[in-house]
């Protein structure tokens, strides 16, 4: 009897070892999947924030250019007509130019290349605005006639365009990184989900398989005991378990 029960005993020992290991493997995979998913989410969030920041930089540059053009329009209206009614929108545009320049400078503090371009842009803008503020009507009209103002505006537009091109390149890089992070997150989530499902399915199959084996072993043992008891009864013998 002892020899017959040894395989069942060994199987019970294996079950007691394999089942906890399988459950531990499932838990480990789920934890790793959660950590990877959290990391991908954080990377995606950071890249999206950087994309949003680049868009804000480009919007800030457009505000600077729009304010400069408004100042240019008011200045030209005054120089052409001599009507001081143009001075109020000009002065308002000058305030907006300087405010938008300060705001733009704060936006690009994280980028050394863009940060280095701001002082030159600011210098060109101030040079253009000074033609009205400090030289007077006659001198300003002479500046317009000599096309000095146009050349200054061309330099302003060229500098703004160079800043824009750098930011566009940076924006493309950040958008590509965001797209890569997004697709990587989806792939990792799908893979980890499938792996978890396979492991959970395997553990459930193992548990069900072991349950059925245990039921069969219990039935075999009960049948053996019943046959032994019948044999003992027929032989009018007894048995003791110690």
């Amino acid at each position: 009897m002892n020899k017959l029960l040894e395989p069942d005993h060994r199987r019970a020992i294996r079950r007691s070892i394999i089942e906890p290991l399988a459950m531990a493997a499932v838990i480990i995979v789920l934890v790793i999947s959660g950590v990877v998913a959290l990391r991908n989410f954080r990377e995606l969030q950071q890249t999206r924030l950087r994309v949003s920041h680049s868009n804000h930089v480009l919007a800030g540059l457009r505000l600077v250019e729009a304010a400069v053009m408004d100042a240019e329009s008011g200045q030209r209206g005054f120089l052409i007509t001599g009507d001081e009614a143009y001075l109020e929108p000009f002065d308002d545009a000058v305030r907006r130019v300087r405010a938008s320049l300060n705001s733009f400078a704060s936006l690009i503090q994280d980028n050394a290349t863009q940060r280095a371009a701001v002082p030159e842009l600011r210098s060109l803008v101030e040079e253009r605005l000074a033609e009205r503020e400090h030289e007077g009507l006659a001198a300003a009209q002479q500046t317009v006639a000599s096309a000095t103002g146009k050349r200054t505006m061309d330099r302003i537009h060229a500098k703004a365009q160079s800043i824009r091109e750098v930011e566009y390149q940076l924006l493309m890089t950040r958008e590509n990184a965001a797209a890569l992070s997004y697709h990587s997150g989806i792939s990792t989530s799908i893979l980890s989900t499938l792996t978890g499902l396979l492991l959970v399915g395997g553990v459930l199959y193992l548990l069900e398989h072991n349950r059925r084996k245990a039921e069969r072993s219990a039935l075999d043992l009960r049948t053996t005991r019943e046959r032994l008891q019948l044999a003992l009864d027929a032989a009018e013998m007894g048995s003791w378990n110690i």
Side-chain angles (χ1 to χ4, degrees), residues 16-33:
S16 66
I17 296 174
I18 294 175
E19 291 177 5
L21 288 177
M23 292 301 298
V26 171
I27 294 172
I28 291 172
V29 169
L30 292 177
V31 170
I32 292 175
S33 300

Side-chain angles (χ1 to χ4, degrees), residues 105-120:
S106 66
L107 285 173
I108 47 82
Q109 287 301 310
D110 63 327
N111 190 311
T113 302
Q114 299 289 62
R115 191 168 63 245
V118 171
E120 183 179 353

Side-chain angles (χ1 to χ4, degrees), residues 14-228:
R14 286 199 296 269
R15 286 198 300 269
S16 66
I17 296 174
I18 294 175
E19 291 177 5
L21 288 177
M23 292 301 298
V26 171
I27 294 172
I28 291 172
V29 169
L30 292 177
V31 170
I32 292 175
S33 300
V35 172
V36 172
L38 179 62
R39 187 195 65 182
N40 288 334
F41 173 76
R42 288 179 176 176
E43 288 180 355
L44 179 60
Q45 188 178 34
Q46 290 173 357
T47 52
R48 283 180 172 175
L49 287 174
R50 287 192 284 267
V51 167
S52 177
H53 181 73
S54 287
N55 286 322
H56 285 147
V57 170
L58 293 171
L61 183 60
R62 286 193 293 270
L63 288 176
V64 172
E65 291 180 295
V68 170
M69 291 304 298
D70 290 344
E72 172 77 2
S73 177
Q75 186 183 65
R76 285 187 175 276
F78 172 69
L79 294 177
I80 292 172
T81 65
D83 186 356
E84 293 188 359
Y86 286 97
L87 293 180
E88 183 177 351
F90 170 76
D91 292 336
D92 178 67
V94 169
R95 286 190 292 271
R96 286 191 291 114
V97 167
R98 288 168 180 164
S100 59
L101 270 172
N102 291 335
S103 177
F104 178 74
S106 66
L107 285 173
I108 47 82
Q109 287 301 310
D110 63 327
N111 190 311
T113 302
Q114 299 289 62
R115 191 168 63 245
V118 171
E120 183 179 353
L121 177 63
R122 189 189 298 274
S123 176
L124 290 170
V125 170
E126 292 294 340
E127 179 183 339
R128 186 69 185 93
L129 297 178
E131 293 173 6
R132 153 66 183 87
E133 291 185 334
H134 302 298
E135 296 182 10
L137 175 59
Q141 288 174 333
Q142 183 178 358
T143 300
V144 171
S146 65
T148 302
K150 182 180 182 304
R151 286 194 294 270
T152 304
M153 285 298 297
D154 289 342
R155 292 170 63 193
I156 291 172
H157 290 314
K159 176 52 65 175
Q161 183 60 27
S162 67
I163 293 173
R164 183 179 293 104
E165 288 175 356
V166 171
E167 198 63 36
Y168 270 136
Q169 291 295 325
L170 188 58
L171 177 60
M172 290 178 60
T173 301
R174 289 172 173 176
E175 286 179 341
N176 290 335
L180 180 63
S181 179
Y182 174 74
H183 292 301
S184 175
I186 290 178
S187 300
T188 302
S189 298
I190 292 174
L191 181 61
S192 60
T193 301
L194 290 176
T195 303
L197 290 174
L198 288 174
L199 284 174
V200 170
V203 170
L204 292 176
Y205 171 78
L206 179 63
L207 293 175
E208 180 63 18
H209 180 69
N210 288 339
R211 184 186 66 81
R212 291 180 179 180
K213 287 178 66 175
E215 289 179 351
R216 287 196 299 269
S217 297
L219 180 60
D220 292 342
L221 180 60
R222 186 166 58 250
T223 302
T224 301
R225 286 177 175 174
E226 290 174 352
R227 289 176 178 175
L228 178 60

